[in-house]
Amino acid sequence: MKAVITRKMPDSIVALLAECCDVYMWPDEHEPISRHMLMEQMADADALFTNVTDRIDREVLDAAPRLKVISTMAVGFNNIDVAEATRRGIPVGHTPEVLTEAVADLTFALLLATARRVVEAMAFIREDKWKAWGPMLLTGQTVHGATLGIIGMGRIGEGVARRARGLGMNILYCNRSRKEAAERALEAAYCHLDELLKRSDYVVMLAPSTKETTRMIGAREFSLMKPNAIFINTARGTNVDEAAMIEALKAGQLRGAGLDVFETEPIRPDHPLCALDNVVLLPHIGSATVETRLKMAEIAALNIIAGLKNEPLPYIVNPEVNV
């Protein structure tokens, strides 16, 4: 049997897979596998170890008549045609739970950095603009005691709320369903999206990527937010109308934004967001701690091993096809 890995992985992960199958691994850690090479390698592949940058659509599945299992090194799976994989009886694995705390840390780091203008301040020094202390120099916004609105109260949302409690923030959340246990534990208040947007000083996007959440935050939603509000997104860029967000930032409808995800990734230096001083931009590193990424890779590999052995996947997206 053969497994295809679409990005360079640590030796320990390759060795784990090599115990049960032959492994083809794209040799570059930073550049994605070419579409041509992916299609070529899938011709005799039994398993696919993929990631968020790969588009695994019907064309790829058609090119892989032997495919038994797909596993993505991510929680989200919107880059995979799960419905088509399910129709073909192919289980799809992912890596939930393990990255909760890392992404919650990064989310709060973005919030603090954007609120206190940390990146601007560092540039101020590097560009030799700091000539003297000034009473209103690079003043940001207070976080302690402010109101935080969380869109999507899953594991990561609850992790962000726990961190917000430590700073005495008032916590609002909206979700597909109420989570009364979380409300009690985190002193969070459930409300509808419009109310959350109107009341929050900081709005954090943590909803999963679905048809329902695609561009759920657009011009109308930004217009409801406080003019000094800050918007943070560490979920998926497709949840936001990026052009509308840019206009809101330029017009002063938003004080700032902290973004780890974008509608199309990667973005380039000529992207309109890169020209704005009131944004903090990161290259999709929400889960990027050494420990978390290694654990994610291990889980993705274990999903594949289980699929090749016709055993239930430890973490499956489409359990209706699990053995």
Side-chain angles (χ1 to χ4, degrees):
M1 292 185 290
K2 172 186 170 182
V4 172
I5 307 178
T6 64
R7 195 64 63 87
K8 189 178 189 306
M9 287 290 148
D11 292 344
S12 60
I13 304 303
V14 179
L16 183 62
L17 284 171
E19 291 178 5
C20 70
C21 62
D22 295 328
V23 177
Y24 167 82
M25 182 173 66
W26 179 250
D28 199 307
E29 182 178 359
H30 304 292
E31 290 294 327
I33 188 171
S34 67
R35 185 75 171 180
H36 170 76
M37 182 59 71
L38 176 62
M39 299 291 285
E40 180 178 304
Q41 290 298 326
M42 292 307 295
D44 60 347
D46 300 276
L48 175 60
F49 184 126
T50 184
N51 63 75
V52 296
T53 63
D54 304 315
R55 178 166 51 89
I56 310 304
D57 52 17
R58 182 174 297 189
E59 183 182 30
V60 173
L61 297 177
D62 283 342
R66 289 172 38 174
L67 191 62
K68 295 180 178 67
V69 60
I70 300 169
S71 187
T72 181
M73 188 179 149
V75 175
F77 42 84
N78 55 302
N79 60 308
I80 302 169
D81 189 338
V82 175
E84 183 61 23
T86 302
R87 189 184 70 79
R88 299 175 187 225
I90 301 170
V92 178
H94 66 150
T95 62
E97 299 179 5
V98 65
L99 50 64
T100 296
E101 301 304 332
V103 178
D105 281 347
L106 191 281
T107 302
F108 225 87
L110 262 179
L111 188 154
L112 289 168
T114 308
R116 295 303 304 270
R117 302 173 67 182
V118 169
V119 175
E120 286 182 81
M122 184 171 66
F124 195 76
I125 292 174
R126 287 182 168 175
E127 295 167 9
D128 196 26
K129 294 179 179 178
W130 190 22
K131 305 304 180 184
W133 179 86
M136 298 302 288
L137 176 65
L138 289 164
T139 49
Q141 294 193 177
T142 301
V143 175
H144 185 274
T147 297
L148 172 68
I150 299 173
I151 303 172
M153 190 64 111
R155 294 186 186 94
I156 297 170
E158 291 186 22
V160 170
R162 288 195 299 272
R163 287 154 177 78
R165 281 192 65 193
L167 287 173
M169 300 185 82
N170 304 305
I171 302 167
L172 306 175
Y173 80 97
C174 66
N175 202 54
R176 285 176 293 184
S177 58
R178 285 192 68 167
K179 304 186 73 173
E180 295 183 6
E183 290 175 26
R184 292 190 295 271
L186 301 168
E187 300 178 10
Y190 174 82
C191 61
H192 292 292
L193 179 60
D194 284 5
E195 181 183 357
L196 180 148
L197 296 172
K198 291 174 183 177
R199 293 173 55 187
S200 299
D201 301 300
Y202 300 90
V203 175
V204 176
M205 168 58 74
L206 291 169
S209 176
T210 66
K211 290 181 180 179
E212 292 73 26
T213 61
T214 299
R215 294 195 171 187
M216 66 178 293
I217 304 297
R220 173 188 171 278
E221 288 72 26
F222 287 122
S223 72
L224 295 176
M225 294 169 66
K226 295 179 180 181
N228 63 341
I230 285 175
F231 180 73
I232 306 295
N233 189 3
T234 54
R236 284 290 184 266
T238 51
N239 291 354
V240 181
D241 182 336
E242 206 164 83
M245 178 176 61
I246 291 168
E247 288 306 310
L249 287 163
K250 287 180 176 179
Q253 284 182 318
L254 278 179
R255 175 71 178 268
L259 309 170
D260 187 44
V261 291
F262 307 90
E263 280 194 305
T264 301
E265 297 181 4
I267 64 168
R268 302 299 179 190
D270 60 354
H271 192 285
L273 282 168
C274 295
L276 301 178
D277 292 331
N278 55 341
V279 296
V280 177
L281 308 175
L282 299 177
H284 205 142
I285 58 170
S287 61
T289 69
V290 172
E291 299 84 356
T292 300
R293 288 286 173 86
L294 284 174
K295 188 62 178 178
M296 290 170 67
E298 180 185 352
I299 291 172
L302 292 174
N303 280 332
I304 282 178
I305 292 168
L308 290 176
K309 292 181 177 180
N310 293 318
E311 296 175 353
L313 272 59
Y315 295 96
I316 189 166
V317 174
N318 51 348
E320 58 268 40
V321 301
N322 214 343
V323 178

